[in-house]
């Protein structure tokens, strides 16, 4: 995980497992700011309409069965640290 360049702040964010951190590092989400700027759909996946077709968009942490609520909580936890003021 450290070899991917993840910051200690992101590594120590409560709720992220080593597997999740590895996946985030592979996606170049390396620090708390990067993580705080995500939307829950980017973590859990979702659907979009492209040219009239419903397309599945894979989430970064979709393989970890993270619920939208859990993703929201993780992101808000990161935001509370990044945007203290």
């Amino acid at each position: 995980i450290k070899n991917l360049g993840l910051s200690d702040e992101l590594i120590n964010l409560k709720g992220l497992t080593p597997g999740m951190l590895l996946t985030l590092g592979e996606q170049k989400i390396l620090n708390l700011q990067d993580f705080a700027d995500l939307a829950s759909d980017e973590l859990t996946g979702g659907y979009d309409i492209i040219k009239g077709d419903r397309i599945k968009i894979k989430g970064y942490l979709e393989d970890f069965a993270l619920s939208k609520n859990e993703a929201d909580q993780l992101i808000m936890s990161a935001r509370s640290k990044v945007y203290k003021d």
Side-chain angles (χ1 to χ4, degrees):
I1 291 170
K2 277 294 212 182
N3 291 341
L4 289 171
L6 272 76
S7 72
D8 287 337
E9 283 184 312
L10 185 59
I11 291 170
N12 294 325
L13 185 66
K14 187 178 177 190
L16 291 177
T17 66
M20 290 175 178
L21 290 166
L22 181 63
T23 300
L24 291 171
E26 289 169 347
Q27 297 298 320
K28 304 298 183 220
I29 299 164
L30 303 176
N31 58 52
L32 211 53
Q33 176 77 51
D34 294 341
F35 190 79
D37 289 342
L38 295 174
S40 58
D41 288 350
E42 291 177 278
L43 295 180
T44 61
Y47 291 90
D48 201 356
I49 305 295
I50 301 175
K51 296 184 181 179
D53 294 325
R54 189 170 188 231
I55 305 294
K56 173 81 172 104
I57 308 295
K58 183 160 173 52
Y60 298 132
L61 301 181
E62 186 173 313
D63 295 339
F64 297 92
L66 195 65
S67 73
K68 182 171 175 21
N69 187 44
E70 291 168 325
D72 285 338
Q73 289 175 350
L74 285 170
I75 291 167
M76 293 311 291
S77 174
R79 287 178 183 171
S80 72
K81 294 174 194 298
V82 171
Y83 305 112
K84 292 178 191 168
D85 299 328

